[in-house]
Amino acid sequence: MYFLDCFLNSERPVLDHSSVKNIPDALTTEDATRLRDSFRVSPRDQVNCATSARLWEELLERYRLPFLLLRVADLRFITRGPGSQMTSLHLYVELGKMIQDEIYDVWLSQLLDSVTKQTNNMLSAYKSAQNITPNQHWRRRTSEDPFPYCRMPKAFIDELRQNWKKLSTMDSSVLSKFINLHCLETNVIEGTVQFDPTATTMLVQVGFLNEAAPGQITDSNIISGTVRQSRDALLILQDTHKAVDEIFELVKTRPVVITPDNVLLERNDVDPFAAAAWISHVFITIHPFEDGNGRLSRMLASIPLLLQELPPICIGLSEKSNYNGFLNATRSYRNGDYEELMKVLHQGTLSSLSQLRLHLSGLQF
């Protein structure tokens, strides 16, 4: 049997089906080897355990097989978060349809009742505002929050635009390289991975899909973060870049709707940084996904800037504390005062342009 104790849901019945006990034949030789190796780590090695978990999630996207469904369902369930347990239920249900096990079905029915009740109780607590912090207060609709009609001083926006134009004259591919920097920085402030300065410059210059980068980036180039293997880190950066590309394509090819009446993007009196701050606040408050909400919020918040030919939002490590602090304050009071958060978004992006200038100036690697 292939299990990591730290990801095993000991509450479910033991399954004796070959489809959940053996490495699936449907996997390629390379994927089967990677999967087999993922179980050969110590449960006390948190970094490699996390790497194994990411691999299972990755493989499940390509192979909807009982073996992988069970492992991913277990690891999501044992996190004990209501959201994670609800998503694990969907995987357990999908697995149940494949293995047809009566004992398992009884357990799953009881689990469904238990988790559903727990989730409903949590929602009731939100609605009645019992024992929760101000930024968790229930709002039936985020549109009930005031729109941000404050404005960034024109000189600040002009400064950003001028810096952006100057960089564009230095390098015709400045936008693609700034997106590379955005992908790197957004994963740094989420605590995912941080590379050393030399590797960072290389990745800004050549990107994450170019064969030149993966060939020269090694595990030793990673200096912090939960991801400690360069191969996994580059895959995460590639996924981040693909998401940014989708946002850019959306802006180019079709009208962008952020709110039902699209007030933030169509009204001339709405500042782009005010709109960006509001989008950041609303998306993080909704928190629709188990992971990646912060990264996606900064991508979406870039849309108002892109529509005015400004660079996308980029928050570096030096601005992380202020960014999180003012974002949480905005979420707590929800009174329409976005001024401080707007300043952080502006300053972070302006500082990132300075960082990009250093990367473009020819640091050796």
Side-chain angles (χ1 to χ4, degrees):
M1 288 287 286
Y2 292 89
F3 278 106
L4 273 177
D5 291 344
C6 56
F7 295 139
L8 176 63
N9 178 11
S10 59
E11 298 177 13
R12 64 162 174 76
V14 175
L15 298 176
D16 196 32
H17 298 256
S18 60
S19 62
V20 300
K21 292 171 61 177
N22 304 318
I23 299 291
D25 294 334
L27 272 63
T28 65
T29 302
E30 179 184 0
D31 286 339
T33 300
R34 293 170 61 203
L35 181 58
R36 192 174 289 107
D37 290 344
S38 71
F39 294 97
R40 296 170 178 162
V41 301
S42 169
R44 293 184 294 275
D45 186 344
Q46 295 183 1
V47 172
N48 280 323
C49 283
T51 300
S52 295
R54 282 192 298 274
L55 174 64
W56 302 348
E57 296 268 12
E58 173 198 333
L59 293 176
L60 182 60
E61 291 183 6
R62 292 187 280 132
Y63 305 97
R64 304 301 290 191
L65 300 171
F67 185 93
L68 292 166
L69 283 167
L70 181 61
R71 271 70 189 176
V72 175
D74 273 3
L75 74 88
R76 290 187 183 180
F77 185 83
I78 56 96
T79 62
R80 295 297 178 185
S84 295
Q85 290 195 349
M86 285 300 292
T87 59
S88 72
L89 274 178
H90 291 292
L91 298 180
Y92 281 135
V93 169
E94 185 177 350
L95 173 64
K97 293 177 181 178
M98 295 181 179
I99 63 175
Q100 299 292 311
D101 185 294
E102 291 184 4
I103 296 177
Y104 176 85
D105 288 342
V106 171
W107 168 79
L108 183 57
S109 177
Q110 295 171 345
L111 179 66
L112 181 61
D113 290 341
S114 173
V115 174
T116 301
K117 182 178 179 180
Q118 178 186 1
T119 303
N120 288 336
N121 288 340
M122 180 190 69
L123 290 175
S124 296
Y126 277 161
K127 291 180 180 180
S128 60
Q130 295 175 358
N131 301 320
I132 58 176
T133 59
N135 66 342
Q136 293 175 313
H137 285 174
W138 176 263
R139 296 292 192 279
R140 190 171 299 278
R141 296 189 308 162
T142 53
S143 59
E144 294 175 2
D145 289 348
F147 283 149
Y149 293 117
C150 43
R151 299 187 67 82
M152 180 75 67
K154 183 177 181 298
F156 287 14
I157 296 180
D158 288 344
E159 179 187 15
L160 184 65
R161 183 174 281 111
Q162 289 168 6
N163 276 271
W164 184 234
K165 287 182 178 179
K166 287 180 181 178
L167 283 172
S168 299
T169 61
M170 289 178 57
D171 191 319
S172 59
S173 60
V174 65
L175 178 58
S176 65
K177 292 177 180 178
F178 190 67
I179 292 174
N180 292 339
L181 179 61
H182 167 97
C183 295
L184 288 160
E185 295 286 17
T186 201
N187 279 288
V188 168
I189 68 171
E190 292 296 328
T192 307
V193 64
Q194 181 179 10
F195 289 94
D196 62 39
T198 300
T200 298
T201 295
M202 176 186 293
L203 292 170
V204 168
Q205 291 276 12
V206 304
F208 323 119
L209 301 175
N210 192 311
E211 291 299 324
Q216 299 183 51
I217 300 295
T218 66
D219 296 351
S220 63
N221 293 119
I222 297 176
I223 59 177
S224 69
T226 57
V227 178
R228 308 300 295 193
Q229 295 185 347
S230 58
R231 183 183 184 279
D232 292 333
L234 289 171
L235 287 174
I236 291 172
L237 290 169
Q238 289 172 18
D239 287 342
T240 306
H241 199 290
K242 289 176 184 176
V244 175
D245 288 342
E246 290 288 340
I247 298 294
F248 273 64
E249 189 63 26
L250 180 69
V251 173
K252 289 179 183 177
T253 59
R254 67 193 71 181
V256 181
V257 177
I258 297 296
T259 62
D261 55 5
N262 223 22
V263 65
L264 288 179
L265 298 184
E266 291 183 351
R267 290 185 57 155
N268 293 328
D269 62 338
V270 175
D271 184 281
F273 279 97
W278 187 86
I279 292 169
S280 298
H281 149 66
V282 168
F283 193 84
I284 291 298
T285 300
I286 296 172
H287 214 78
F289 306 113
E290 287 188 67
D291 188 30
N293 293 285
R295 281 166 283 192
L296 186 53
S297 73
R298 290 184 287 278
M299 295 178 198
L300 294 174
S302 297
I303 292 176
L305 278 70
L306 295 172
L307 291 175
Q308 296 200 22
E309 299 183 346
L310 292 167
I313 296 292
C314 189
I315 305 296
L317 189 60
S318 62
E319 299 294 332
K320 176 181 178 179
S321 178
N322 285 336
Y323 169 72
N324 287 335
F326 289 122
L327 181 58
N328 287 333
T330 302
R331 293 173 61 205
S332 295
Y333 297 108
R334 304 177 83 156
N335 58 3
D337 184 3
Y338 295 82
E339 186 174 354
E340 295 301 327
L341 181 56
M342 289 166 59
K343 289 179 181 178
V344 172
L345 295 177
H346 172 269
Q347 183 57 47
T349 304
L350 189 62
S351 297
S352 295
L353 290 184
S354 298
Q355 290 297 316
L356 180 63
R357 183 178 289 106
L358 293 176
H359 293 304
L360 296 179
S361 64
L363 293 181
Q364 299 299 310
F365 52 81

